[in-house]
Amino acid sequence: MTENALFSATDQPLDLAVLVLPHCSILEVASVLDPLRNANRHLGRDAFRFRIVTPDGKPAPLTCGIELPASGPLAAAKGAALLMVIAGYRLAEVATRPLIRDLRRMAHGFATIGGVDAAPWVLARAGLLDGHRATVHWEDLEDLAHAHPQVEVCPDRYVIDRNRLTAGGAAPAYDLMLHLIRARHGAGLARQVAQSFLQSPRPGHTAQIAPAPGPLTADPSLDPRVARVLARMEASLDAPEPMARLAADVGLSPRRLESLFRSSLGTTPGAHALSLRLAAARRMLTDTAHPMAEIALRCGFSSPATLSRAFRRAFGHPPASLRRPKA
């Protein structure tokens, strides 16, 4: 992780603009802004000055159904030292050519540019991550690396490489903001902010999906052996492992593993693994243009027909029905 000047101790205020794209999560916006707001409260002054902008200056519709007001269009971000872009779903719709053009044109005016969740896709399309290390939400790591080989894509929670910042989602964005607070104003303030949110920060180099138990499975109510099996399932969607092998690797019989799954999760290991693979397929169907054969392969199904049968049984309609019609 390569630092930049923004991450140096200083009493000077930091001006930042947050470009919120439609159909992102309110949690991602809050994870960027609320730690900074809280730091200002503890300091008793505006050490961080921020404003929200949208591509056209209109309120941005968020995934929770509310609209987020903005101070103006992207041009209103001029003068900020840091531009943070937040994106979520429907990138083909929101990452328009005019937006990419404007980002490319305005980029030199910011000391640092960052992206949260799906926003690294937007920055990469604008050529703003070329030659940099970067991360993106774990579901998109492979696709981003394939589409933009000039970007060194890594699975870290967040990455700081010179004048580019990227975070894999809401929680990593919160961690990144705490790191920024700590670097500029000391560990004491960062600790106060973390305590306000009852959250302990995680380092940027931590993998988004840990091998066991990780951020998606670290539940104290789970038997540790169940947590390890869950992590294995989540890490091998494209090549599902036999339940007997999973059970043996955590020192259990298949029958005992099934019993623990039923008591902990109310389902069987096989049913849970299938639900994970179908959820991944559904996301790819709605969020990517990958052909059905590739989706089937990457989600551990032997053929599109096998995927279609499992999908129809689970959801009551064929996977092709989720594909958006071409304009």
Side-chain angles (χ1 to χ4, degrees):
M1 181 169 62
T2 305
E3 302 282 8
N4 70 25
L6 291 187
F7 292 82
S8 299
T10 180
D11 288 328
Q12 296 300 310
L14 175 64
D15 289 315
L16 65 149
V18 181
L19 173 61
V20 177
L21 301 189
H23 312 301
C24 72
S25 163
I26 192 172
L27 185 59
E28 292 161 354
V29 179
S31 294
V32 172
L33 295 182
D34 264 358
L36 306 182
R37 172 202 56 78
N38 192 270
N40 287 346
R41 182 174 72 86
H42 284 295
L43 288 171
R45 57 186 175 87
D46 287 343
F48 299 95
R49 301 170 180 167
F50 45 82
R51 54 192 180 273
I52 293 174
V53 299
T54 58
D56 56 7
K58 298 178 181 179
L62 304 180
T63 54
C64 62
I66 70 170
E67 292 190 337
L68 185 69
S71 300
L74 177 56
K78 187 177 180 180
L82 169 61
L83 175 69
M84 289 293 293
V85 184
I86 302 178
Y89 297 97
R90 295 160 66 173
L91 276 185
E93 177 182 326
V94 302
T96 63
R97 289 184 179 181
L99 174 63
I100 299 300
R101 179 200 62 213
D102 290 345
L103 280 171
R104 190 179 293 124
R105 176 176 54 83
M106 294 181 61
H108 70 277
F110 305 105
T112 300
I113 297 176
V116 174
D117 198 330
W121 272 106
V122 182
L123 301 182
R125 290 176 185 176
L128 301 179
L129 294 181
D130 291 0
H132 288 80
R133 295 180 69 250
T135 192
V136 70
H137 190 276
W138 64 271
E139 293 175 327
D140 294 324
L141 286 165
E142 183 177 343
D143 286 340
L144 182 65
H146 178 75
H148 297 278
Q150 66 276 34
V151 181
E152 185 183 344
V153 179
C154 54
D156 296 6
R157 289 176 68 79
Y158 66 84
V159 174
I160 303 168
D161 188 2
R162 290 161 287 167
N163 59 348
R164 296 292 183 262
L165 319 176
T166 48
Y174 164 83
D175 295 334
L176 174 58
M177 293 302 103
L178 279 184
H179 179 63
L180 178 65
I181 292 166
R182 183 186 304 107
R184 293 178 71 89
H185 300 285
L189 178 62
R191 179 177 173 81
Q192 286 179 298
V193 172
Q195 288 176 333
S196 295
F197 293 104
L198 307 180
Q199 289 285 341
S200 298
R202 299 183 63 184
H205 58 77
T206 306
Q208 294 179 35
I209 303 297
L216 301 185
T217 58
D219 182 343
S221 68
L222 287 180
D223 184 291
R225 294 164 295 185
V226 171
R228 290 201 297 274
V229 170
L230 287 173
R232 287 270 290 272
M233 290 178 177
E234 291 157 0
S236 59
L237 296 181
D238 60 337
E241 299 182 76
M243 291 304 129
R245 181 194 302 166
L246 289 172
D249 286 352
V250 294
L252 297 172
S253 68
R255 185 174 180 178
R256 178 57 178 157
L257 178 62
E258 180 170 334
S259 175
L260 287 175
F261 258 73
R262 287 189 182 278
S263 61
S264 300
L265 301 173
T267 188
T268 66
H272 184 76
L274 178 60
S275 72
L276 291 175
R277 292 158 55 210
L278 288 171
R282 184 165 54 181
R283 182 194 67 79
M284 290 186 189
L285 286 162
T286 56
D287 294 353
T288 77
H290 297 326
M292 199 69 69
E294 181 178 348
I295 293 175
L297 184 65
R298 290 175 60 171
C299 296
F301 295 94
S302 59
S303 69
T306 305
L307 167 61
S308 185
R309 286 193 296 270
F311 201 95
R312 190 186 289 270
R313 283 195 300 268
F315 303 119
H317 53 82
S321 66
L322 296 185
R323 280 282 152 97
R324 292 178 177 274
K326 293 183 179 180

